[in-house]
Amino acid sequence: MKRPALMSLILGGVAATGFAPLNLWPVALGCFAAWLWIVHDSPDLRAALWRGWLFGVAHFTIGNNWIARAFTLQDAMPTWLGYPAVTILALYLAIYPMLAAGLMWRLASPRATGDGTTSPGASFVLVASAAWIATEWLRGTMLTGYPWNPLAVIWLPLPGVAYAASFIGTYALGGIAVLVAGALMLATQRDWRMAGPVLGAVSLLAISGLFGAHSAAPLAPNAPRIRVIQPNLDQEERPRDDYAEANLAVIARHMGTPGPGPNPAPRLIVWPEGALRLFVENGYPPEYYWRGQPELVRARIAAMLGPRDIVLAGGNGLQFDDRGQLSAVSNSVLAIDANAQLLGRYDKAHLVPWGEYLPARPIMSAIGLARLVPGDVDFRPGPGPAGLNLPGFGLVGFQICYEIIFSGETVNRAHRPRFIFNPSNDSWYGVWGPVEHLAMARLRAIEEGLPIIRATPTGVSAIIDADGRVLASIPADREGAIELPIPPAHPPTLFAMLGNWMAALVAAAMLALAVAIRQRPR
């Protein structure tokens, strides 16, 4: 292929159209197929690494374009830095496709192995798939991890294929996407020995998705309900002095009313991340209650509730040192019942670097860098995946915003919740970011077999069932609320029991099969 470096760059960018909102998954598979051939034909390891890195630079620049908008909503750093920041991030993230390209070339390209063949074969495709699984897992792990837009999300338009994530997880399902791309590459050579079975199996899975997913048992009339509120106040509204009251007023309009009768169904009413800008916890120094005593704030919220209702509100918790000085802030969800009692608090554990805390703060501050989220005190992480046992609703799991993108890290396996609440603030994220975030939440639902409830200030808020289907949603930039019975959970999936060990098992099986194919008599 002429100009392989330029082609790698183009293919990487175009492959990003396979993600939401475009969802051009056939285009993405075609781009990966062409890129695999380019890597296969690299004259040496250095060329293979270069072609992998260029593919990744374009791929992650396009897929993360939404990050640039966050720089327009803060004053800590210049807004013009937005698009350069996206590219700088892509220069780092491209290391992982580079490593995948290097592994597939070094372990399976004929120029490296000297097996006398010139065309890509089944062994190369299997090694490429295993290499992608390993390096995508590394991307989600190294330096706190950034697994945004894993390749597996391109399968969401094909529910039958996407459902495989309940068995093997996101990273392994991404490897299956590379396997299918490799099968397409082999099909162009009319090598059907591997291409035929792979493409046939994926086609059967895709067709199976047309016949629906699990059928849920009918729910009792007074079954617990979930109500999601989207106030549609943009991040740009936050500097206003009246933001806290304005947000509460919009939310109050959409709280709804309990069902009829003396014993209405309990409702869990969920607000977005950061929706509650008033403090509701006791024990803070008096100067922190400038917007109202916590008892009065809780009473205002409780007055909006039915007798069995509970609010889950995104807000902040404060932590003080022995001198009474503010030492840390937590990004939290607070549970308040109809008696104005605070039932508990969940603190976000997986914080966003440069968003909620500044890595190497003394050095970064010295060179003029700051957090994108306002404030001089860093957020402090919570203990990890956890839940609150709420009367009438059982154990509710939590993942705030960014936490939901981490496959295998969303549930405390010893205390499996009934569903996961994922409040987020996606008003930072432009047009592409919110729908990409929703897609990853849907994958978590499939993997764990648990419903996921998303509440965001400006969209997309959604109720997602345990098969990853969006049962109800509020589009972006629209004020409103949705309410449904809480979808049932499935029994623990295979992935829920084994986690990302499944990725390791699938990758190892692919490598073993590649070795077996190479060693068979010709």
Side-chain angles (χ1 to χ4, degrees):
M1 184 177 291
K2 295 181 180 179
R3 308 191 73 176
L6 177 60
M7 286 303 301
S8 295
L9 200 66
I10 293 171
L11 290 169
V14 177
T17 64
F19 303 126
L22 300 178
N23 294 315
L24 300 177
W25 59 271
V27 174
L29 290 175
C31 289
F32 269 85
W35 175 65
L36 289 176
W37 202 317
I38 290 173
V39 173
H40 174 274
D41 285 350
S42 300
D44 53 39
L45 179 59
R46 178 178 294 182
L49 292 170
W50 177 240
R51 295 171 188 184
W53 187 75
L54 289 173
F55 181 92
V57 168
H59 189 68
F60 294 117
T61 297
I62 299 299
N64 289 285
N65 70 80
W66 52 269
I67 292 176
R69 185 172 187 271
F71 284 77
T72 69
L73 301 176
Q74 49 78 50
D75 298 320
M77 287 187 279
T79 58
W80 60 260
L81 191 58
Y83 282 105
V86 172
T87 303
I88 291 168
L89 176 63
L91 296 179
Y92 159 68
L93 295 174
I95 291 172
Y96 298 100
M98 180 188 76
L99 291 175
L103 286 169
M104 65 181 82
W105 187 90
R106 185 65 187 85
L107 297 177
S109 172
R111 286 187 172 86
T113 59
D115 66 359
T117 63
T118 56
S119 299
S123 178
F124 176 81
V125 171
L126 287 163
V127 170
S129 304
W132 189 268
I133 293 171
T135 55
E136 196 165 68
W137 174 82
L138 280 174
R139 175 163 68 92
T141 305
M142 299 297 292
L143 302 177
T144 78
Y146 185 71
W148 192 272
N149 277 348
L151 187 55
V153 297
I154 71 170
W155 293 123
L156 284 173
L158 301 174
V161 182
Y163 188 69
S166 65
F167 297 95
I168 61 176
T170 290
Y171 298 124
L173 189 57
I176 298 300
V178 175
L179 185 69
V180 172
L184 292 173
M185 177 184 65
L186 296 179
T188 63
Q189 306 174 85
R190 300 188 179 182
D191 181 353
W192 296 102
R193 290 169 295 179
M194 176 181 177
V198 169
L199 296 177
V202 170
S203 298
L204 288 174
L205 285 175
I207 293 170
S208 71
L210 301 175
F211 298 98
H214 288 82
S215 57
L219 297 172
N222 62 343
R225 302 180 67 84
I226 191 85
R227 185 175 182 86
V228 181
I229 296 177
Q230 182 169 297
N232 198 34
L233 285 189
D234 201 319
Q235 185 72 19
E236 292 173 334
E237 302 282 352
R238 285 196 174 201
R240 291 172 25 182
D241 290 338
D242 65 343
Y243 178 88
E245 289 294 339
N247 201 47
L248 199 58
V250 175
I251 287 173
R253 291 203 299 265
H254 295 283
M255 289 291 284
T257 57
N263 191 30
R267 296 182 307 155
L268 191 62
I269 304 171
V270 297
W271 300 359
E273 178 186 18
L276 183 60
R277 313 304 290 179
L278 305 170
F279 295 123
V280 296
E281 295 182 289
N282 296 97
Y284 295 171
E287 60 267 26
Y288 285 91
Y289 296 133
W290 69 92
R291 287 176 175 163
Q293 292 296 315
E295 297 88 350
L296 297 179
V297 177
R298 295 198 305 266
R300 289 175 62 188
I301 295 171
M304 307 177 194
L305 303 178
R308 303 173 68 195
D309 294 347
I310 295 174
V311 159
L312 293 178
N316 294 129
L318 305 183
Q319 300 174 35
F320 299 88
D321 60 22
D322 294 338
R323 297 172 299 166
Q325 299 296 312
L326 181 64
S327 60
V329 180
S330 62
N331 187 351
S332 305
V333 175
L334 301 112
I336 301 168
D337 70 7
N339 296 316
Q341 298 299 307
L342 185 64
L343 302 180
R345 188 181 91 189
Y346 168 80
D347 295 338
K348 184 178 182 182
H350 206 134
L351 301 178
V352 182
W354 283 281
E356 293 164 313
Y357 70 96
L358 189 63
R361 176 173 280 276
I363 298 172
M364 295 297 170
S365 298
I367 62 177
L369 295 181
R371 281 180 7 206
L372 292 178
V373 176
D376 297 323
V377 178
D378 282 338
F379 284 73
R380 180 173 292 175
L388 294 177
N389 210 331
L390 302 178
F393 301 95
L395 186 63
V396 178
F398 297 91
Q399 292 285 283
I400 297 178
C401 192
Y402 175 77
E403 291 184 300
I404 201 67
I405 75 173
F406 291 89
S407 172
E409 300 179 26
T410 56
V411 172
N412 182 337
R413 302 192 187 284
H415 303 282
R416 180 175 168 84
R418 181 177 183 178
F419 63 92
I420 297 172
F421 175 42
N422 173 223
S424 186
N425 182 1
D426 292 359
S427 60
W428 292 81
Y429 298 158
V431 176
W432 286 36
V435 288
E436 290 176 352
H437 207 175
L438 174 65
M440 287 177 279
R442 292 176 61 193
L443 269 183
R444 295 295 85 73
I446 296 169
E447 282 181 335
E448 301 290 348
L450 291 173
I452 291 180
I453 314 300
R454 278 179 55 77
T456 70
T458 59
V460 178
S461 300
I463 298 174
I464 305 166
D465 75 4
D467 292 313
R469 296 176 298 182
V470 178
L471 301 182
S473 65
I474 308 171
D477 304 318
R478 187 177 299 175
E479 177 185 326
I482 49 178
E483 183 174 326
L484 288 175
I486 297 175
H490 294 325
T493 64
L494 181 62
F495 180 84
M497 293 185 284
L498 296 181
N500 281 317
W501 283 108
M502 290 304 301
L505 290 172
V506 172
M510 288 175 168
L511 289 175
L513 185 56
V515 170
I517 290 172
R518 288 184 58 81
Q519 292 183 345
R520 69 184 179 186
R522 298 186 184 279

